[in-house]
Amino acid sequence: MILLLGFLIAAYLSGSQAENSFSQYWGKHIGLPYPPHWLVLKASPLSPHQVAMYMKLMEENELASHLHSFCKQANVVCSTNALVKKTTNNTTLPPIAQWNAAKVEYENIPYETPLSVASQGGLPYFRESMVKEGGFMHVPDLRDPMSYKSFLPRSLASKIPFSFSQIEELNNLFGVVDESKMDEYIQETLKICDKRPIRGDQCTCATSAEDLIDFVVKKLGHHVCLWNTESIEGSYEDVTIGSVKLIHGNLSEPPALCHSQPFPFQVYYCHVLPKVKVYVVDINARKTVNHAIMACHYDTSTWNPNHLAFKLLGFGPGLIEVCHWINENGVVWTKRLQIE
């Protein structure tokens, strides 16, 4: 009993240290008093002692023999088919939608992407005029495939192989088997992170909380606001649209959109795109009202003509605006023009 209590106290102190470290970094760089609770929960739970221990094991190529304890203590995914541990316990929802990853691909959408995806669970892309108060809409899957995973500390994340050319080394490190679902997710993420940005797009893949904050500060400055969809409620439902509120309409001040990527540890694909408006929309789902974030892109001139959005909506690059929801754990950062 005493030993168990000791483990619990150690785990609590470790988590508190991680949260304090993240909050301190936030406080030094972001002009907001506190980070949102859901983002704090993604801070690495590893203590400085554990970080040093696992760094040493990585340097000695011995991490594989301690993989189970590393994954458990770091709250990362280290198994072949570990997917939606906590997001699929709702059996009323079908498997994670295949097109979720496509939301961050504004150029290289496969030519054969079927239009039937729209009938499998809502429209992933739509026009701004389709979202009006009192109107109806079929909402797509808003879930993050692996919403529960944590960041790694920057010192550890920087040592992890992170390019498509190193995928074999990465899979070996995390015990991932070729052609497993996790292997597919890793490939998706690395392809997105390795690709060259389209014209006007400034992007990065943030592999640590510090990287995420640094990118936002570099692109937008210290005084920012952040916005995220409140929950996954409304996924796959025909919903009534409540209030639609514009929260960022300055097309000359591009926001930063950060999408949570399916990967063994928390990774964000962040990009700053020109001419984007951001709205908060009340989705009247069956269980509750979900305050969802909607981003509308007004400059689609550089998008691939075969982009799924154009297949669903008609027209082509530069001829229409294209909107989409911000998924679970996604976040939009906007510049705060007036310091309160």
Side-chain angles (χ1 to χ4, degrees):
M1 182 66 181
I2 294 175
L3 185 61
L4 176 60
L5 182 61
F7 279 126
L8 291 173
I9 292 172
Y12 172 79
L13 292 175
S14 174
S16 297
Q17 283 180 327
E19 290 183 14
N20 288 337
S21 176
F22 174 76
S23 296
Q24 287 171 7
Y25 198 86
W26 174 280
K28 288 179 181 178
H29 297 85
I30 300 293
L32 291 171
Y34 304 105
H37 183 63
W38 67 269
L39 192 56
V40 172
L41 292 178
K42 289 199 162 292
S44 173
L46 294 176
S47 68
H49 171 73
Q50 290 170 326
V51 171
M53 177 181 68
Y54 289 123
M55 282 281 288
K56 189 172 187 297
L57 288 171
M58 287 182 66
E59 290 167 0
E60 296 172 353
N61 293 320
E62 293 292 333
L63 184 62
S65 59
H66 298 79
L67 195 58
H68 179 74
S69 60
F70 170 68
C71 296
K72 187 174 181 178
Q73 292 176 350
N75 191 38
V76 299
V77 182
C78 301
S79 65
T80 301
N81 282 296
L83 299 177
V84 284
K85 184 170 69 175
K86 294 181 181 177
T87 52
T88 53
N89 55 9
N90 184 349
T91 57
T92 63
L93 293 177
I96 295 290
Q98 294 180 354
W99 65 76
N100 274 352
K103 288 186 178 178
V104 299
E105 286 276 11
Y106 295 111
E107 183 177 24
N108 298 316
I109 299 297
Y111 282 73
E112 65 274 12
T113 303
L115 288 178
S116 61
V117 296
S119 63
Q120 294 175 10
L123 279 173
Y125 299 101
F126 43 89
R127 300 290 302 274
E128 183 183 29
S129 60
M130 297 167 68
V131 185
K132 297 294 183 184
E133 185 170 359
F136 296 91
M137 194 164 194
H138 196 34
V139 176
D141 194 352
L142 299 175
R143 291 173 293 173
D144 179 350
M146 291 181 288
S147 65
Y148 56 91
K149 63 189 182 299
S150 298
F151 280 113
L152 285 179
R154 176 184 269 172
S155 55
L156 271 178
S158 63
K159 302 293 184 183
I160 302 291
F162 197 79
S163 71
F164 201 81
S165 62
Q166 297 173 296
I167 193 167
E168 185 175 345
E169 186 181 350
L170 178 68
N171 283 350
N172 289 338
L173 183 64
F174 285 97
V176 176
V177 176
D178 290 348
E179 300 184 6
S180 64
K181 195 64 180 176
M182 179 58 71
D183 182 42
E184 290 178 23
Y185 278 160
I186 289 173
Q187 289 192 45
E188 281 179 10
T189 295
L190 293 180
K191 283 178 182 176
I192 289 169
C193 292
D194 277 356
K195 76 181 180 72
R196 293 179 60 187
I198 60 175
R199 180 169 51 86
D201 190 356
Q202 306 168 66
C203 60
T204 192
C205 276
T207 58
S208 68
E210 296 92 338
D211 285 351
L212 176 65
I213 292 172
D214 287 353
F215 177 79
V216 170
V217 170
K218 180 180 179 182
K219 299 302 178 182
L220 303 181
H222 298 279
H223 301 289
V224 295
C225 295
L226 70 161
W227 315 88
N228 65 289
T229 293
E230 188 174 70
S231 73
I232 63 169
E233 295 298 330
S235 294
Y236 292 109
E237 292 181 19
D238 289 309
V239 304
T240 304
I241 300 297
S243 69
V244 180
K245 180 182 177 183
L246 178 69
I247 54 178
H248 177 79
N250 187 346
L251 295 181
S252 65
E253 290 285 356
L257 278 61
C258 293
H259 308 269
S260 180
Q261 294 300 118
F263 205 71
F265 54 93
Q266 182 62 55
V267 171
Y268 275 100
Y269 174 73
C270 296
H271 53 173
V272 177
L273 286 164
K275 297 185 179 179
V276 176
K277 289 185 180 181
V278 184
Y279 296 82
V280 59
V281 180
D282 285 352
I283 293 176
N284 294 307
R286 293 192 192 104
K287 293 182 180 179
T288 186
V289 176
N290 185 6
H291 306 295
I293 301 302
M294 176 178 81
C296 292
H297 300 263
Y298 280 80
D299 182 3
T300 58
S301 60
T302 58
W303 292 21
N304 191 311
N306 293 284
H307 194 291
L308 177 58
F310 303 133
K311 292 184 178 183
L312 293 173
L313 303 173
F315 300 94
L319 299 178
I320 58 169
E321 86 293 343
V322 174
C323 302
H324 62 82
W325 303 110
I326 298 298
N327 276 22
E328 178 186 23
N329 289 323
V331 58
V332 177
W333 307 78
T334 58
K335 186 176 290 188
R336 187 152 48 96
L337 299 180
Q338 291 184 346
I339 304 172
E340 299 173 0

